[in-house]
Amino acid sequence: MKNFFGHLKTVLKHKWIVFKLSIKAGIPIRGLLHDMSKFSPVEFWESVKFYQGGKKSPLAVSREVLGYSKAWLHHKGRNKHHLEYWYDEDLREQPIVPFKYCLEMVCDKLSASIVYEGKNWTKESELKYWNTREKDKLIINPKIRDFLTEVFTEVSIYGIDKVVNKEHLRKVYNKHCG
């Protein structure tokens, strides 16, 4: 029961922060609908089983223990704000993720960073994570990589409030993807 309520609290906190950031980014409906698949049985129960006290993704632990995660396979295939949703091994260059999903992706990554880091979160946290764990490891379109790198760099310098708004993010997106 402790894992059940702990995981539920973590998911709801993540969704709440994504929603608030999505309002700033001008996509409140995307924020409201964000990660609804986390409440499906396949995602929810695996996450409860591998719950890590809200400090680490239970799906990462599932992959470490089992070598795969049914929840992650389910999640990434249903949520367009994940880079992995857009991956196509038959393409020479991965597609450019549409703007609204890039905005949701930014909100999602910042929220995950805020939730998992807790009181240790700083405006540099997501950039550090992006640079060390994702930027050069994910198979993505280079234009999207550059967009995310610039956004997280700006957040590390100016903070979320100055960077996460639709007009500014549209300029950065158009600079790299337009």
Side-chain angles (χ1 to χ4, degrees), residues 62-98:
S62 176
R63 287 194 298 263
E64 290 169 11
V65 172
L66 302 174
Y68 66 95
S69 168
K70 284 184 185 179
W72 173 240
L73 295 172
H74 186 270
H75 188 73
K76 71 177 182 171
R78 285 158 181 80
N79 293 281
K80 296 177 183 180
H81 64 275
H82 285 287
L83 292 165
E84 296 84 354
Y85 176 92
W86 300 94
Y87 173 72
D88 186 339
E89 66 183 41
D90 293 329
L91 296 177
R92 275 189 278 171
E93 185 169 271
Q94 295 304 304
I96 294 176
V97 178

Side-chain angles (χ1 to χ4, degrees), residues 3-4 6-8 11 37-54 56-76 116:
N3 281 11
F4 176 91
H7 175 63
L8 182 61
V11 169
S37 70
K38 286 190 177 186
F39 298 105
S40 68
V42 67
E43 291 186 36
F44 191 82
W45 293 115
E46 181 178 310
S47 296
V48 167
K49 180 178 179 180
F50 292 102
Y51 179 66
Q52 299 297 300
K56 183 178 179 182
S57 168
L59 306 187
V61 177
S62 176
R63 287 194 298 263
E64 290 169 11
V65 172
L66 302 174
Y68 66 95
S69 168
K70 284 184 185 179
W72 173 240
L73 295 172
H74 186 270
H75 188 73
K76 71 177 182 171
Y116 289 140

Side-chain angles (χ1 to χ4, degrees), residues 80-120:
K80 296 177 183 180
H81 64 275
H82 285 287
L83 292 165
E84 296 84 354
Y85 176 92
W86 300 94
Y87 173 72
D88 186 339
E89 66 183 41
D90 293 329
L91 296 177
R92 275 189 278 171
E93 185 169 271
Q94 295 304 304
I96 294 176
V97 178
F99 179 62
K100 68 181 176 180
Y101 302 118
C102 279
L103 292 185
E104 187 178 355
M105 186 184 311
V106 166
C107 296
D108 178 55
K109 288 179 174 297
L110 288 170
S111 175
S113 174
I114 290 166
V115 170
Y116 289 140
E117 294 275 336
K119 292 177 182 171
N120 296 323

